[in-house]
Amino acid sequence: MYSVKTIEGQLNAQGLKIAIVASRFNDFVVGRLIDGAIDYLVRHGASVEDITVIRVPGAYELPLVCKKLAAFSQYSGIIALGAVIRGSTPHFDYVCAEASKGIAQISLQTGLPIGFGLLTCDNLEQAIERAGAHVGNKGSEAAAAVLETIRVMEQI
Ligand code: INI
């Protein structure tokens, strides 16, 4: 087939400073996402001293803190982690919509890669499955995504 120039990001976290912004709400789940993200970064060459975890009350507060970090800090990328679990009111929909829209906007406006590790689940079981049980760990996946995107952005 054709041989075209292809730009891909290497999964190498050496020398990168990464901020993990994580909500306290549903900490039983979010704690596992944080562990998954840190484990992924360290196994791919990051130094523990170069990783900072910032806790916020809930998923709704993730965008604001991501915005400040993106505007004023020295981080190469951010990993946003949280878990929104559907209750019996429309609150779930508002929190999910604002958190996801806000995070996407900040990444686009600032050009800083932000890994999106916000679980939006119907019940606790679905959340646990995605926080290190049999559907994987979305914290690790968000770490992989931010790492790959940082390395792609460096080349274009
Ligand atoms: N925040 C979450 O991170 N997950 C949830 O499941 C959740 N629910 O279900 O209400 C939640 N709500 C709090 C919200 O993120 C804000 O912290 C709160 O509204 C104060 O601004």
Side-chain angles (χ1 to χ4, degrees):
M1 272 311 278
Y2 303 106
S3 170
V4 298
K5 179 173 175 164
T6 302
I7 295 171
E8 287 181 298
Q10 299 301 307
L11 296 175
N12 171 13
Q14 219 173 353
L16 297 180
K17 280 186 183 293
I18 304 287
I20 297 174
V21 186
S23 56
R24 290 191 192 287
F25 211 105
N26 294 318
D27 185 57
F28 171 69
V29 172
V30 179
R32 295 174 184 208
L33 300 178
I34 296 171
D35 291 345
I38 294 173
D39 184 60
Y40 188 93
L41 293 173
V42 171
R43 282 191 293 113
H44 288 80
S47 299
V48 172
E49 309 82 63
D50 287 336
I51 302 170
T52 305
V53 176
I54 298 134
R55 302 304 297 262
V56 298
Y60 190 84
E61 283 74 34
L62 290 170
L64 180 64
V65 174
C66 288
K67 185 174 180 179
K68 184 157 189 183
L69 285 168
F72 297 110
S73 78
Q74 72 283 39
Y75 295 103
S76 313
I78 299 172
I79 301 168
L81 302 177
V84 194
I85 299 176
R86 191 182 288 279
S88 52
T89 71
H91 192 70
F92 170 93
D93 300 294
Y94 290 101
V95 173
C96 292
E98 295 312 312
S100 53
K101 241 191 303 161
I103 291 166
Q105 274 173 11
I106 291 149
S107 186
L108 291 172
Q109 283 166 4
T110 62
L112 192 78
I114 303 181
F116 183 66
L118 177 65
L119 298 181
T120 55
C121 300
D122 284 332
N123 51 54
L124 184 60
E125 189 187 355
Q126 284 182 354
I128 291 169
E129 283 171 356
R130 287 158 181 78
H134 66 274
V135 190
N137 185 311
K138 298 296 169 190
S140 311
E141 288 179 25
V146 83
L147 189 49
E148 185 171 349
T149 309
I150 290 167
R151 294 310 190 191
V152 166
M153 295 288 280
E154 286 172 349
Q155 298 175 69
I156 56 177

